[in-house]
Amino acid sequence: MNITAQALTQRLQERLNPVFVEVLDESAAHAGHVGANETGFGTHFRVRIQSPLFTAKSRVARHRLVYDALQEYIDQGLHALAIEVIENP
């Protein structure tokens, strides 16, 4: 299964009901690194997200929610995930 930014975005929308989410595939910048594949995509992603579910949660708890939502993709080869949580106003 190909892991895409679109698939990750959809899963995050379904699970975390974000008011903002952006997923960037940064795999090409990691060519030759551990976990990279020969295609140059689908292994390294950056997530920028804001969700009401993050309110009153620690940074670790917020990141855990994102990892839990994407666990299926991690199991399929998503190697690296940079998470930027945008604070709720």
Side-chain angles (χ1 to χ4, degrees):
M1 175 180 199
N2 290 334
I3 301 170
T4 64
Q6 181 180 2
L8 299 182
T9 299
Q10 182 175 344
R11 177 60 55 86
L12 291 167
Q13 288 171 335
E14 292 168 358
R15 300 279 173 91
L16 300 180
N17 194 28
V19 295
F20 174 81
V21 63
E22 178 181 45
V23 178
L24 305 169
D25 187 341
E26 298 181 336
S27 302
H30 297 275
H33 295 180
V34 172
N37 63 28
E38 66 283 347
T39 67
F41 64 90
T43 59
H44 294 70
F45 290 89
R46 177 171 306 275
V47 172
R48 296 182 178 123
I49 188 166
Q50 181 182 18
S51 171
L53 297 177
F54 297 156
T55 303
K57 290 194 173 28
S58 70
R59 180 178 182 198
V60 171
R62 293 171 181 183
H63 283 217
R64 175 55 43 211
L65 285 170
V66 174
Y67 281 113
D68 289 349
L70 300 178
Q71 186 62 52
E72 175 185 348
Y73 297 101
I74 293 167
D75 293 344
Q76 294 174 13
L78 191 160
H79 175 73
L81 187 63
I83 302 170
E84 297 176 22
V85 172
I86 299 168
E87 297 294 325
N88 291 321

